[in-house]
Amino acid sequence: MKIEKKKLSIIVLLAFGIVGSYGFPYMKGTFYNIMKEALNLTDRQLGNVWSVFGIIGMISYILGGYVADRFSLKKIIIIALISSAMLHIWMSFVPTYPVVLGISALMGISAIFAFFPSSSKILSCLGDANSSGSIFGIYYALEGLGGMIVNFIGSRFYVITDNEIQTFVVIVRLYAFLNVVAAYGIYKKFSDEVVLGEEQTSISLKVLGEVLRKKQVWRIALLILSNFVLYCSLTYITPYLTEVYDMPQNQVIFWGIIRVNILALLAGIIFGKIVDYEQVAMKVIKKVMPVQSICLGMLIFNHVYLKNIIIALILLMAFAFLATGVKVISLVLVSEAEFSVTIIGTVIGVVSFVGFSPDAFLYPLAGWLQERYMSQSYIYLFL
């Protein structure tokens, strides 16, 4: 379905914003080993860094959604992006572990309290029953494309320099640059009134209680939670390939770019189109998620009995494509539920509080498993 030019420009800017805002927390998907070496941290310490981001995020989702329904989305997003840019610049000076924890917490506020609910509300309001899938699909496809460009630059820089710290600095500063570009674009291009119409009003706190009582909100939240647990496990594909299959670092980065960026781009486009064709995102999700579990079961079987790296790569990429695809269309469920524009931010905050909670607890658990069970830990993680 064709999307008008003004809407498309907003989607592009928000995609730049999400790449920049979630830059450091999500660069672990491709550059896990480089982050570990550059910051001189253990697996458990890295898990704690991301857990802090996730814990702050859990608190921030509901409050951020409520704030998105009360104040100007344009102002919230610009403040979030500028804050994120400054935090990424600070991180690029390779601080000590306690400071990294503090920056990660502040990034949880800028990305999850401010940027995510507001940008998700905008995307939900841009679409209708016939176009929500395409809008979210294009958004996440562009996120994959933007991330791919940053990761390609970072990987080439690492190949040339073979220096983890310099590579880390370059990548983190690229994320800061994207934040600034997105903030300037939103300032010039976005208008609350044009996107939201006249329904944007200041809501009262009692609306949060009303949202919490809606069964449909909890169904969406639990479904997102189920998939996000699987999606979070993708972080550990990078150390899995190096520790279990002795894959060289440059090859791991290559497959990381394929998984994190190229498959995300394809998943965004393909799953968005499928949802618009089917008209119901839930129907697509119910068919896809069981296949993800089958992929993980086969991956465990291969790990224990076959140890075949080709089979492992095929299963990992298939699993990544499906998990990313479901993540892409999860928030379409909010659009399909046809909540009032005045409470969409609050609804998104509540479902995200539950749905993305694995960000808070999964990484310390995985870090503990890695340190205790070494290569055997991945069986438990995938299980």
PDB file of all heavy atoms in Angstrom, residues 212-227:
ATOM      1  N   LEU A 212      -5.542  -0.458  32.691  1.00  0.00           N
ATOM      2  CA  LEU A 212      -5.110  -1.675  33.391  1.00  0.00           C
ATOM      3  C   LEU A 212      -6.244  -2.681  33.540  1.00  0.00           C
ATOM      4  O   LEU A 212      -5.995  -3.881  33.694  1.00  0.00           O
ATOM      5  CB  LEU A 212      -4.552  -1.321  34.769  1.00  0.00           C
ATOM      6  CG  LEU A 212      -3.205  -0.582  34.783  1.00  0.00           C
ATOM      7  CD1 LEU A 212      -2.870  -0.124  36.189  1.00  0.00           C
ATOM      8  CD2 LEU A 212      -2.094  -1.467  34.227  1.00  0.00           C
ATOM      9  N   ARG A 213      -7.473  -2.225  33.494  1.00  0.00           N
ATOM     10  CA  ARG A 213      -8.615  -3.135  33.641  1.00  0.00           C
ATOM     11  C   ARG A 213      -9.067  -3.752  32.315  1.00  0.00           C
ATOM     12  O   ARG A 213      -9.948  -4.618  32.309  1.00  0.00           O
ATOM     13  CB  ARG A 213      -9.786  -2.392  34.287  1.00  0.00           C
ATOM     14  CG  ARG A 213      -9.569  -2.094  35.768  1.00  0.00           C
ATOM     15  CD  ARG A 213     -10.849  -1.648  36.450  1.00  0.00           C
ATOM     16  NE  ARG A 213     -11.293  -0.351  35.970  1.00  0.00           N
ATOM     17  CZ  ARG A 213     -10.917   0.815  36.503  1.00  0.00           C
ATOM     18  NH1 ARG A 213     -10.070   0.832  37.528  1.00  0.00           N
ATOM     19  NH2 ARG A 213     -11.387   1.953  36.023  1.00  0.00           N
ATOM     20  N   LYS A 214      -8.488  -3.354  31.214  1.00  0.00           N
ATOM     21  CA  LYS A 214      -8.894  -3.877  29.904  1.00  0.00           C
ATOM     22  C   LYS A 214      -8.211  -5.222  29.639  1.00  0.00           C
ATOM     23  O   LYS A 214      -6.979  -5.314  29.574  1.00  0.00           O
ATOM     24  CB  LYS A 214      -8.545  -2.884  28.792  1.00  0.00           C
ATOM     25  CG  LYS A 214      -9.364  -1.598  28.823  1.00  0.00           C
ATOM     26  CD  LYS A 214      -8.958  -0.673  27.683  1.00  0.00           C
ATOM     27  CE  LYS A 214      -9.734   0.633  27.713  1.00  0.00           C
ATOM     28  NZ  LYS A 214     -11.162   0.443  27.386  1.00  0.00           N
ATOM     29  N   LYS A 215      -8.984  -6.276  29.474  1.00  0.00           N
ATOM     30  CA  LYS A 215      -8.422  -7.613  29.223  1.00  0.00           C
ATOM     31  C   LYS A 215      -7.609  -7.648  27.935  1.00  0.00           C
ATOM     32  O   LYS A 215      -6.609  -8.348  27.833  1.00  0.00           O
ATOM     33  CB  LYS A 215      -9.547  -8.641  29.160  1.00  0.00           C
ATOM     34  CG  LYS A 215     -10.241  -8.894  30.498  1.00  0.00           C
ATOM     35  CD  LYS A 215     -11.321  -9.957  30.361  1.00  0.00           C
ATOM     36  CE  LYS A 215     -12.009 -10.208  31.704  1.00  0.00           C
ATOM     37  NZ  LYS A 215     -13.087 -11.229  31.586  1.00  0.00           N
ATOM     38  N   GLN A 216      -8.060  -6.894  26.942  1.00  0.00           N
ATOM     39  CA  GLN A 216      -7.374  -6.904  25.650  1.00  0.00           C
ATOM     40  C   GLN A 216      -5.936  -6.400  25.784  1.00  0.00           C
ATOM     41  O   GLN A 216      -5.022  -6.890  25.112  1.00  0.00           O
ATOM     42  CB  GLN A 216      -8.143  -6.023  24.667  1.00  0.00           C
ATOM     43  CG  GLN A 216      -7.786  -6.260  23.212  1.00  0.00           C
ATOM     44  CD  GLN A 216      -8.783  -5.591  22.286  1.00  0.00           C
ATOM     45  OE1 GLN A 216      -9.560  -4.749  22.700  1.00  0.00           O
ATOM     46  NE2 GLN A 216      -8.760  -5.974  21.021  1.00  0.00           N
ATOM     47  N   VAL A 217      -5.730  -5.436  26.667  1.00  0.00           N
ATOM     48  CA  VAL A 217      -4.394  -4.904  26.907  1.00  0.00           C
ATOM     49  C   VAL A 217      -3.480  -6.001  27.446  1.00  0.00           C
ATOM     50  O   VAL A 217      -2.339  -6.160  26.996  1.00  0.00           O
ATOM     51  CB  VAL A 217      -4.455  -3.722  27.902  1.00  0.00           C
ATOM     52  CG1 VAL A 217      -3.051  -3.324  28.358  1.00  0.00           C
ATOM     53  CG2 VAL A 217      -5.168  -2.528  27.267  1.00  0.00           C
ATOM     54  N   TRP A 218      -3.966  -6.814  28.377  1.00  0.00           N
ATOM     55  CA  TRP A 218      -3.143  -7.870  28.977  1.00  0.00           C
ATOM     56  C   TRP A 218      -2.889  -9.022  28.007  1.00  0.00           C
ATOM     57  O   TRP A 218      -1.819  -9.641  28.043  1.00  0.00           O
ATOM     58  CB  TRP A 218      -3.806  -8.376  30.261  1.00  0.00           C
ATOM     59  CG  TRP A 218      -3.750  -7.316  31.321  1.00  0.00           C
ATOM     60  CD1 TRP A 218      -4.743  -6.466  31.701  1.00  0.00           C
ATOM     61  CD2 TRP A 218      -2.613  -6.970  32.098  1.00  0.00           C
ATOM     62  NE1 TRP A 218      -4.301  -5.600  32.680  1.00  0.00           N
ATOM     63  CE2 TRP A 218      -2.996  -5.893  32.945  1.00  0.00           C
ATOM     64  CE3 TRP A 218      -1.306  -7.449  32.177  1.00  0.00           C
ATOM     65  CZ2 TRP A 218      -2.107  -5.291  33.845  1.00  0.00           C
ATOM     66  CZ3 TRP A 218      -0.425  -6.857  33.082  1.00  0.00           C
ATOM     67  CH2 TRP A 218      -0.835  -5.801  33.898  1.00  0.00           C
ATOM     68  N   ARG A 219      -3.847  -9.307  27.138  1.00  0.00           N
ATOM     69  CA  ARG A 219      -3.609 -10.347  26.120  1.00  0.00           C
ATOM     70  C   ARG A 219      -2.467  -9.939  25.190  1.00  0.00           C
ATOM     71  O   ARG A 219      -1.594 -10.747  24.862  1.00  0.00           O
ATOM     72  CB  ARG A 219      -4.890 -10.612  25.325  1.00  0.00           C
ATOM     73  CG  ARG A 219      -5.914 -11.473  26.063  1.00  0.00           C
ATOM     74  CD  ARG A 219      -6.950 -12.038  25.104  1.00  0.00           C
ATOM     75  NE  ARG A 219      -7.821 -10.981  24.582  1.00  0.00           N
ATOM     76  CZ  ARG A 219      -8.977 -10.636  25.120  1.00  0.00           C
ATOM     77  NH1 ARG A 219      -9.405 -11.248  26.212  1.00  0.00           N
ATOM     78  NH2 ARG A 219      -9.715  -9.682  24.592  1.00  0.00           N
ATOM     79  N   ILE A 220      -2.506  -8.680  24.753  1.00  0.00           N
ATOM     80  CA  ILE A 220      -1.438  -8.181  23.878  1.00  0.00           C
ATOM     81  C   ILE A 220      -0.100  -8.197  24.620  1.00  0.00           C
ATOM     82  O   ILE A 220       0.928  -8.607  24.071  1.00  0.00           O
ATOM     83  CB  ILE A 220      -1.769  -6.749  23.393  1.00  0.00           C
ATOM     84  CG1 ILE A 220      -3.014  -6.763  22.495  1.00  0.00           C
ATOM     85  CG2 ILE A 220      -0.583  -6.154  22.619  1.00  0.00           C
ATOM     86  CD1 ILE A 220      -3.535  -5.380  22.134  1.00  0.00           C
ATOM     87  N   ALA A 221      -0.120  -7.780  25.882  1.00  0.00           N
ATOM     88  CA  ALA A 221       1.111  -7.713  26.672  1.00  0.00           C
ATOM     89  C   ALA A 221       1.757  -9.080  26.834  1.00  0.00           C
ATOM     90  O   ALA A 221       2.977  -9.240  26.669  1.00  0.00           O
ATOM     91  CB  ALA A 221       0.805  -7.107  28.042  1.00  0.00           C
ATOM     92  N   LEU A 222       0.964 -10.100  27.149  1.00  0.00           N
ATOM     93  CA  LEU A 222       1.508 -11.439  27.368  1.00  0.00           C
ATOM     94  C   LEU A 222       2.028 -12.055  26.078  1.00  0.00           C
ATOM     95  O   LEU A 222       3.015 -12.800  26.082  1.00  0.00           O
ATOM     96  CB  LEU A 222       0.446 -12.331  28.007  1.00  0.00           C
ATOM     97  CG  LEU A 222       0.078 -11.961  29.448  1.00  0.00           C
ATOM     98  CD1 LEU A 222      -1.116 -12.785  29.928  1.00  0.00           C
ATOM     99  CD2 LEU A 222       1.266 -12.167  30.380  1.00  0.00           C
ATOM    100  N   LEU A 223       1.386 -11.734  24.971  1.00  0.00           N
ATOM    101  CA  LEU A 223       1.864 -12.246  23.693  1.00  0.00           C
ATOM    102  C   LEU A 223       3.222 -11.628  23.339  1.00  0.00           C
ATOM    103  O   LEU A 223       4.147 -12.328  22.897  1.00  0.00           O
ATOM    104  CB  LEU A 223       0.839 -11.949  22.598  1.00  0.00           C
ATOM    105  CG  LEU A 223       1.153 -12.601  21.246  1.00  0.00           C
ATOM    106  CD1 LEU A 223      -0.128 -13.078  20.582  1.00  0.00           C
ATOM    107  CD2 LEU A 223       1.856 -11.626  20.322  1.00  0.00           C
ATOM    108  N   ILE A 224       3.345 -10.304  23.542  1.00  0.00           N
ATOM    109  CA  ILE A 224       4.625  -9.646  23.280  1.00  0.00           C
ATOM    110  C   ILE A 224       5.707 -10.205  24.191  1.00  0.00           C
ATOM    111  O   ILE A 224       6.843 -10.438  23.761  1.00  0.00           O
ATOM    112  CB  ILE A 224       4.484  -8.116  23.461  1.00  0.00           C
ATOM    113  CG1 ILE A 224       3.565  -7.530  22.377  1.00  0.00           C
ATOM    114  CG2 ILE A 224       5.849  -7.430  23.406  1.00  0.00           C
ATOM    115  CD1 ILE A 224       3.271  -6.056  22.536  1.00  0.00           C
ATOM    116  N   LEU A 225       5.371 -10.459  25.462  1.00  0.00           N
ATOM    117  CA  LEU A 225       6.319 -11.052  26.405  1.00  0.00           C
ATOM    118  C   LEU A 225       6.820 -12.398  25.903  1.00  0.00           C
ATOM    119  O   LEU A 225       8.026 -12.681  25.925  1.00  0.00           O
ATOM    120  CB  LEU A 225       5.646 -11.221  27.763  1.00  0.00           C
ATOM    121  CG  LEU A 225       6.396 -12.061  28.814  1.00  0.00           C
ATOM    122  CD1 LEU A 225       7.685 -11.369  29.220  1.00  0.00           C
ATOM    123  CD2 LEU A 225       5.524 -12.302  30.041  1.00  0.00           C
ATOM    124  N   SER A 226       5.923 -13.242  25.433  1.00  0.00           N
ATOM    125  CA  SER A 226       6.300 -14.583  24.964  1.00  0.00           C
ATOM    126  C   SER A 226       7.323 -14.511  23.846  1.00  0.00           C
ATOM    127  O   SER A 226       8.301 -15.270  23.833  1.00  0.00           O
ATOM    128  CB  SER A 226       5.050 -15.328  24.475  1.00  0.00           C
ATOM    129  OG  SER A 226       4.115 -15.456  25.514  1.00  0.00           O
ATOM    130  N   ASN A 227       7.116 -13.598  22.902  1.00  0.00           N
ATOM    131  CA  ASN A 227       8.048 -13.494  21.783  1.00  0.00           C
ATOM    132  C   ASN A 227       9.340 -12.799  22.188  1.00  0.00           C
ATOM    133  O   ASN A 227      10.420 -13.161  21.715  1.00  0.00           O
ATOM    134  CB  ASN A 227       7.418 -12.730  20.620  1.00  0.00           C
ATOM    135  CG  ASN A 227       8.354 -12.656  19.414  1.00  0.00           C
ATOM    136  OD1 ASN A 227       8.624 -13.657  18.762  1.00  0.00           O
ATOM    137  ND2 ASN A 227       8.886 -11.477  19.145  1.00  0.00           N
TER     138      ASN A 227
END
